[in-house]
Amino acid sequence: MFPYPMSALVPRLFAPPLSRPGLFPALVRRGRCGFICSAKGAHGGNKKKLTVTEKLKFGNAAPSLDILQAPKPRDDEGEPSTSGSGPESTSRAAAYVMESNVLQVAWRRVLRELSSLPRAIAIMALIAVLSGLGTFIPQNKPLDFYLTNYPEGPDKVLGFLTYDLILALQLDHLYSANYFYLAIGLLAASLAACTYTRQWPAVKVAQRWRFITRPEPLLKQGRTEMLPNARIQDLGAILIQRGYQVFLKDGSLYGFKGLAGKLGPIGVHAALLLCLFGTAWSGFGTLKGSVMCPEGQEFEISSYLVPSSPIAVMPDAATKVVHVNRFLIDYRPDGSVAQFYSDLTLLDPRDGGREVLRKTISVNDPFRYKGVTMYQTDWSLSAVTVRVLGQDSPLARAAEAAQAAAARTEDSTPEGVATSATSSSSGGGSSSADTGIGERTAFNLPMASLEGKPGVAGRLWATFLPLGAPSPDGSAPRGISILARDPQSVVFYDASGQFVGVRRPGSGKPITVEGLQLVVEDVVGATGLELKNDPGVPMVYAGFGGLMVTTLVSYLSHSQVWALQQGSNLFVTGRANRAKLSFEREMDEVLNAVPELLRPTTATEPPPSNAAANAP
Amino acid sequence: MLLTNSLNLEVFENSLRNASFLTLFVTTIFYWIYTTFSTGTNNKTKKILTDSNILYARSSMAVSNLLLVLLLLVRWEISGHFPLSNLYESLMFLAWCCTFLYLIYSTSFIISVEKILGSITASSALLMNAFATFSLPKEMQQSAPLVPALQSNWLMMHVSVMIISYATLIIGSLLSILFLILNKLSNDKQNIKINNMMTQQTPNEIERLRCDEDIIPLPADYSIETVKSMVNNSILTPEHKKDFYNTKMTLLKLNLDSLSYRIIGLGFPFLTIGILSGAVWANEAWGSYWSWDPKETWALLTWLVFAIYLHTRLTKGWQGEKPAVIASLGFIVVWFCYLGVNLIGEGLHSYGFFN
């Protein structure tokens, strides 16, 4: 097999301007990166021997000088001969540098700054520090939280951290602060620049077949073995058996394996960029909101989807209406919650309320329809249905009083245990005393949440069944207080605030409070749903998948083997970028397997030693 | 019948709990004695612990590994869900990962490095086990049914991969810390000077070095040609144990460097997969794949620190000390990510550690 010139095989990354044929690619091959990067001092004084790749980037002398000097003959440099570039490239490169304008110089400088590794590490460290900082200061709290917890004055937190400082530095919303976005943007730019200027050229170099024509550069590569009485073709055959791609030319051999190991890091960077762009798209294009909908009610999706930016597009599915058929909490025998279930139906109002989709969702199992997803995230109690047994006069009075109280649902009555109906449910109305005699006794009482009120621990809902009209001075009427923490049990307190008893909804067991016989029929729950339309998710998922795969692929070892036949001696060397130990072992095995040719004609030669002896 | 069954399982779990602690304790003592007293080089009369005795230590580690597996399986049986739902179970899983890590890498390196790895993993596993068994309140050790948010198949994947990554990163960083300590103690330069090491080794010592170094792996940045030539071409003269000690010490540090690089290199993809699977799970459960929850943020921080570590090793070619400093910083970060974040209190991950 004969090698092809690189330019014919690998598509040019950047087409040179027509007026300067061949200059740009020459710069790339000869060390455009070297021109950019070595000005910073070649990785901070690393004394490690340069690999082939790096030699190509930097050359054997400082490239910035090289480019401006007259071209030297290349034969005595001892570098592996390349196929395609010649001594003319240096002078052309010099001329090119003279002619480049300010913009290109600036662009190259920007690329150099961005792709420098210490800078990238500094950016990563900066993002790390800022992220960590945000975990110590609670984020996105209301203003008075910071006023209370980070006060001015003698007891400043840590001696200097006041709410002033926090708000001024945007530490209360650090993850959406502009400097944080800037840092992430810099990281993205650094990733892109690094791939552009370092990784991609390195892959292109790795793809070229580099033939070594003299023993000296072979010996410079690292461990070199010399096999007497061996043929290069045998070595090539053995390497092919081991999965190498082998190229032979004029007694010189080049083989490589595992090119994916070189491409892996590029893939990692590309996947990271995909993730970052996906999150940016999510940041601008997401619509989300939350709704607390009682059983039996419905809502239109679009009324609850709030766009996160003006360019977010409301999806078509948002015109549909969701009807909550049922909300159910599954309890275990010990009282803990096993699961929350919401039975939802999606209706199309423009199609006469036709049912489009019906699904029972739970936590970890959301409702999906054409880009809109609804998650089960919360719940509350919406109303309690209480039936009063018997038909005596307190009942009628209670009914009238309840209707009067309903007329004043806007007024809140701070005294007493329960406030008037302020629940978010779209009005089960107040007590709706039904018309029929037998049904006159059922009250559907909306419940309000007392969570967070003084003296209340945890979640608590309450409602109030008044037994008389409110007094003329505006104080609350006498009544029965009904409380519940969950749909399992309802607690009754009498008009003086004394505990009376607990009943389980649906048990049918009456309780006597203030002379009335009450039966709790049902507790109506409300399901808390989180609605979301996030267009960036597919891109982010693609980035995630790519990142997982490419991180693993990056661990593949890219191994290269060079060999040179000189007379009857075979010089072999090789290198690998990862898994060096197993590469060493593999080399040992390969060299052991190369057959030794016996030459009976030469009597002065030393007795043929086993090829195995060459490999320690 | 069912009651006696469950009672038996509970009793079995209790005895497994004690047995695992005991065997880990014995294993730790074993490795510590073995590391301290067995050298075989400087005092020929005191060859109490030969290299073949490593088998006893290895089997002790394997037994404790097995007991931890049994403990987790029994807990799985009792609770009905994958045994990774609270801090106690995750600590046990972490201890198991440490012992398993040792068993994976035990034969890849020379005996002296293996002893050190064994000492570190055994003592880490012991500390985790002891903390879980003796320090955590009893009610936190009970297996409880899962809250609705955890009832998902993602639980198995995300949490186990994260714990595995924690184990590898902790052990790798511990080895880096050890490397730094040895560096300080031995005052060596970063680049190996062949001249300093080549001189004056006795034939027996060379022989032993040759036997050992048959399986010396290549640290990422050093050339094996250097290492081997200094052994093959040395001059045979008696005395100067100090130079030989320097040689051994440098070889040991090379190996530790390489081992910690390999272990952290194993842990980093696991960490990546763990974070990403957590993000996907969060999107399925709560609708947001990244909400800057403290635990998520610190996991990202850990990822960034170890990405910096890998970059300084892979690309910049720093040798020895500087990456080890970064890995040591990573040790603190990993522990804060695992435990410290729960102390901050809020967030989606506070599953009842400190309420």
Side-chain angles (χ1 to χ4, degrees):
Chain A
M1 279 183 281
F2 283 90
Y4 301 99
M6 179 197 103
S7 48
L9 273 189
V10 178
R12 292 208 181 133
L13 254 187
F14 359 79
L18 283 175
S19 55
R20 305 189 197 105
L23 282 183
F24 223 134
L27 252 181
V28 170
R29 268 182 302 206
R30 187 65 184 88
R32 170 165 168 265
C33 184
F35 167 65
I36 296 169
C37 300
S38 73
K40 287 187 73 75
H43 303 289
N46 178 17
K47 303 262 186 315
K48 185 172 79 105
K49 188 170 54 176
L50 296 174
T51 63
V52 174
T53 311
E54 285 161 6
K55 274 192 190 154
L56 285 164
K57 284 194 274 190
F58 304 136
N60 278 343
S64 47
L65 291 175
D66 231 6
I67 287 177
L68 297 175
Q69 285 169 6
K72 293 183 283 232
R74 295 183 51 127
D75 292 323
D76 57 347
E77 281 178 352
E79 261 193 40
S81 71
T82 75
S83 35
S85 70
E88 318 81 56
S89 62
T90 324
S91 60
R92 279 190 301 203
Y96 175 71
V97 166
M98 305 286 211
E99 292 177 39
S100 60
N101 57 23
V102 176
L103 216 59
Q104 275 161 334
V105 168
W107 171 245
R108 277 199 293 270
R109 186 182 173 118
V110 161
L111 274 182
R112 173 185 68 187
E113 297 287 322
L114 278 178
S115 65
S116 104
L117 185 64
R119 200 140 296 169
I121 291 181
I123 295 174
M124 284 200 273
L126 175 69
I127 294 179
V129 166
L130 286 178
S131 311
L133 194 59
T135 58
F136 289 110
I137 300 176
Q139 298 286 301
N140 297 316
K141 292 273 190 258
L143 176 62
D144 51 350
F145 177 86
Y146 300 106
L147 288 171
T148 345
N149 289 310
Y150 297 93
E152 298 265 12
D155 38 34
K156 292 184 209 179
V157 174
L158 290 184
F160 67 93
L161 198 61
T162 64
Y163 65 88
D164 241 355
L165 193 63
I166 289 179
L167 294 171
L169 292 178
Q170 300 182 59
L171 294 179
D172 60 324
H173 59 278
L174 193 147
Y175 301 112
S176 42
N178 42 17
Y179 53 82
F180 196 74
Y181 285 154
L182 183 66
I184 295 187
L186 272 178
L187 182 67
S190 168
L191 283 171
C194 173
T195 305
Y196 189 68
T197 57
R198 287 174 195 242
Q199 291 179 327
W200 188 243
V203 165
K204 290 183 1 176
V205 164
Q207 280 179 334
R208 294 155 75 176
W209 303 294
R210 323 242 11 106
F211 290 96
I212 297 185
T213 50
R214 295 164 61 225
E216 286 76 10
L218 257 186
L219 294 169
K220 279 197 223 167
Q221 292 294 335
R223 168 189 169 183
T224 306
E225 300 291 333
M226 199 274 289
L227 300 177
N229 304 323
R231 274 189 329 173
I232 200 166
Q233 290 87 348
D234 296 330
L235 178 67
I238 295 168
L239 284 176
I240 288 178
Q241 278 176 350
R242 286 187 162 259
Y244 280 77
Q245 280 203 46
V246 174
F247 305 98
L248 270 178
K249 175 195 174 195
D250 298 338
S252 175
L253 177 148
Y254 174 68
F256 70 88
K257 183 162 83 162
L259 192 61
K262 272 272 188 192
L263 295 172
I266 297 185
V268 172
H269 281 197
L272 281 172
L273 283 171
L274 205 59
C275 289
L276 288 175
F277 282 129
T279 48
W281 193 2
S282 288
F284 286 114
T286 296
L287 300 111
K288 63 176 179 181
S290 53
V291 58
M292 186 75 76
C293 184
E295 291 177 276
Q297 305 290 330
E298 60 189 34
F299 63 93
E300 183 174 333
I301 297 177
S302 55
S303 353
Y304 290 95
L305 280 180
V306 177
S308 56
S309 84
I311 62 174
V313 175
M314 184 74 77
D316 284 336
T319 57
K320 307 278 187 296
V321 162
V322 176
H323 186 268
V324 179
N325 304 317
R326 188 134 186 263
F327 172 69
L328 168 70
I329 302 181
D330 195 11
Y331 285 96
R332 295 200 188 92
D334 65 355
S336 62
V337 175
Q339 190 56 274
F340 300 98
Y341 295 101
S342 296
D343 184 3
L344 305 174
T345 306
L346 194 68
L347 308 165
D348 192 352
R350 291 186 277 188
D351 198 6
R354 181 181 65 89
E355 174 179 310
V356 177
L357 181 61
R358 180 172 185 161
K359 184 176 170 169
T360 301
I361 68 168
S362 56
V363 183
N364 278 313
D365 186 17
F367 188 107
R368 291 183 214 272
Y369 181 74
K370 291 195 178 167
V372 174
T373 318
M374 296 192 276
Y375 302 89
Q376 174 78 57
T377 53
D378 201 1
W379 63 279
S380 72
L381 295 182
S382 162
V384 60
T385 307
V386 168
R387 182 184 298 282
V388 180
L389 302 178
Q391 295 180 37
D392 45 358
S393 49
L395 168 65
R397 271 183 275 139
E400 287 161 23
Q403 277 176 346
R408 276 197 293 277
T409 40
E410 294 83 34
D411 309 0
S412 56
T413 52
E415 303 93 72
V417 182
T419 63
S420 57
T422 50
S423 67
S424 57
S425 67
S426 44
S430 54
S431 52
S432 49
D434 304 334
T435 48
I437 296 289
E439 296 158 343
R440 233 185 114 81
T441 58
F443 294 88
N444 190 19
L445 303 167
M447 300 189 89
S449 172
L450 297 182
E451 187 178 2
K453 298 268 192 289
V456 176
R459 312 188 82 183
L460 185 65
W461 291 268
T463 187
F464 188 67
L465 181 59
L467 296 172
S471 36
D473 62 358
S475 58
R478 285 178 57 246
I480 301 168
S481 303
I482 306 173
L483 276 69
R485 282 195 184 273
D486 53 49
Q488 286 184 311
S489 53
V490 176
V491 183
F492 289 86
Y493 289 80
D494 66 10
S496 52
Q498 295 294 319
F499 169 78
V500 177
V502 179
R503 285 295 177 269
R504 187 174 287 278
S507 64
K509 199 170 153 200
I511 183 173
T512 307
V513 188
E514 296 286 335
L516 292 177
Q517 289 248 28
L518 303 172
V519 171
V520 179
E521 300 214 315
D522 191 19
V523 174
V524 178
T527 178
L529 300 171
E530 176 92 13
L531 313 170
K532 196 152 195 198
N533 169 252
D534 192 343
V537 164
M539 195 186 228
V540 169
Y541 276 16
F544 283 175
L547 193 57
M548 283 196 238
V549 167
T550 50
T551 309
L552 292 172
V553 165
S554 299
Y555 280 91
L556 286 178
S557 184
H558 178 237
S559 330
Q560 301 173 82
V561 174
W562 292 272
L564 181 65
Q565 180 101 56
Q566 285 224 317
S568 67
N569 294 326
L570 185 63
F571 292 90
V572 184
T573 187
R575 63 176 40 237
N577 63 352
R578 314 240 191 293
K580 296 190 185 192
L581 173 63
S582 46
F583 177 69
E584 288 283 327
R585 288 192 186 141
E586 189 182 37
M587 282 293 288
D588 287 343
E589 288 166 19
V590 164
L591 294 174
N592 281 345
V594 175
E596 184 179 356
L597 308 170
L598 299 177
R599 283 154 144 244
T601 53
T602 320
T604 54
E605 272 184 3
S609 54
N610 196 349
N614 286 323
Chain B
M1 182 61 179
L2 218 61
L3 189 63
T4 54
N5 234 358
S6 65
L7 270 182
N8 279 339
L9 273 182
E10 300 272 357
V11 165
F12 190 37
E13 189 200 334
N14 225 9
S15 46
L16 275 177
R17 203 179 298 199
N18 296 330
S20 64
F21 174 75
L22 219 61
T23 47
L24 275 175
F25 187 70
V26 164
T27 311
T28 309
I29 299 293
F30 226 136
Y31 273 102
W32 283 4
I33 292 178
Y34 201 40
T35 313
T36 316
F37 291 115
S38 111
T39 56
T41 56
N42 45 16
N43 216 329
K44 289 184 187 132
T45 56
K46 261 198 197 172
K47 278 202 184 178
I48 313 168
L49 300 160
T50 62
D51 281 352
S52 58
N53 287 353
I54 190 81
L55 288 174
Y56 289 115
R58 275 189 208 156
S59 29
S60 176
M61 183 75 93
V63 166
S64 29
N65 186 43
L66 198 64
L67 286 173
L68 285 168
V69 170
L70 277 177
L71 175 64
L72 288 169
L73 286 176
V74 167
R75 272 192 86 96
W76 194 345
E77 181 61 35
I78 292 177
S79 65
H81 59 79
F82 193 67
L84 264 187
S85 62
N86 59 13
L87 185 65
Y88 175 78
E89 290 168 352
S90 62
L91 276 169
M92 286 303 184
F93 195 82
L94 190 64
W96 173 79
C97 283
C98 289
T99 55
F100 193 63
L101 196 66
Y102 168 78
L103 291 172
I104 292 178
Y105 280 102
S106 54
T107 47
S108 309
F109 284 77
I110 52 177
I111 297 283
S112 56
V113 170
E114 186 190 340
K115 286 184 291 190
I116 291 180
L117 181 67
S119 311
I120 287 184
T121 46
S123 40
S124 305
L126 176 68
L127 280 174
M128 292 160 189
N129 195 333
F131 176 65
T133 313
F134 301 125
S135 263
L136 286 184
K138 276 295 171 209
E139 56 271 8
M140 286 190 63
Q141 298 184 26
Q142 305 307 322
S143 58
L146 292 174
V147 297
L150 290 183
Q151 290 172 19
S152 167
N153 286 332
W154 284 104
L155 172 70
M156 283 194 263
M157 164 146 190
H158 163 64
V159 184
S160 55
V161 171
M162 283 307 286
I163 303 288
I164 292 173
S165 74
Y166 287 159
T168 48
L169 294 176
I170 286 172
I171 300 295
S173 335
L174 278 175
L175 287 169
S176 291
I177 295 177
L178 178 62
F179 176 85
L180 284 179
I181 295 175
L182 286 180
N183 236 11
K184 285 282 178 279
L185 287 179
S186 65
N187 265 346
D188 237 11
K189 287 205 169 68
Q190 288 316 302
N191 299 321
I192 307 164
K193 300 291 184 190
I194 302 178
N195 307 329
N196 288 345
M197 286 193 313
M198 267 178 47
T199 57
Q200 286 116 15
Q201 295 165 6
T202 66
N204 285 343
E205 286 160 340
I206 295 215
E207 201 48 50
R208 177 159 286 279
L209 200 55
R210 283 182 69 110
C211 288
D212 272 357
E213 64 93 34
D214 271 347
I215 47 174
I216 287 181
L218 274 181
D221 308 310
Y222 307 109
S223 154
I224 196 175
E225 187 190 13
T226 314
V227 174
K228 285 197 173 172
S229 61
M230 79 190 178
V231 170
N232 289 335
N233 307 327
S234 63
I235 306 158
L236 304 181
T237 347
E239 312 153 76
H240 290 278
K241 295 265 168 71
K242 185 165 171 288
D243 282 341
F244 180 70
Y245 171 74
N246 279 341
T247 313
K248 283 286 256 189
M249 177 59 98
T250 311
L251 280 178
L252 180 66
K253 286 195 300 187
L254 289 184
N255 280 295
L256 281 179
D257 199 33
S258 164
L259 179 59
S260 84
Y261 175 56
R262 284 177 69 175
I263 293 184
I264 293 181
L266 177 67
F268 188 74
F270 276 120
L271 183 63
T272 310
I273 294 177
I275 294 176
L276 297 181
S277 57
V280 174
W281 185 12
N283 201 29
E284 300 299 304
W286 301 309
S288 170
Y289 50 79
W290 197 265
S291 44
W292 294 109
D293 180 51
K295 189 90 163 189
E296 284 177 338
T297 310
W298 274 90
L300 181 69
L301 240 156
T302 314
W303 191 87
L304 283 172
V305 167
F306 284 103
I308 293 175
Y309 169 83
L310 287 179
H311 273 81
T312 55
R313 280 200 85 110
L314 291 176
T315 318
K316 235 171 137 55
W318 273 347
Q319 293 181 11
E321 187 170 338
K322 289 178 200 150
V325 170
I326 299 175
S328 314
L329 180 66
F331 180 68
I332 304 173
V333 171
V334 168
W335 274 111
F336 197 85
C337 175
Y338 179 43
L339 284 184
V341 177
N342 298 328
L343 297 174
I344 301 185
E346 322 186 338
L348 302 158
H349 275 94
S350 50
Y351 287 123
F353 180 32
F354 284 143
N355 282 332

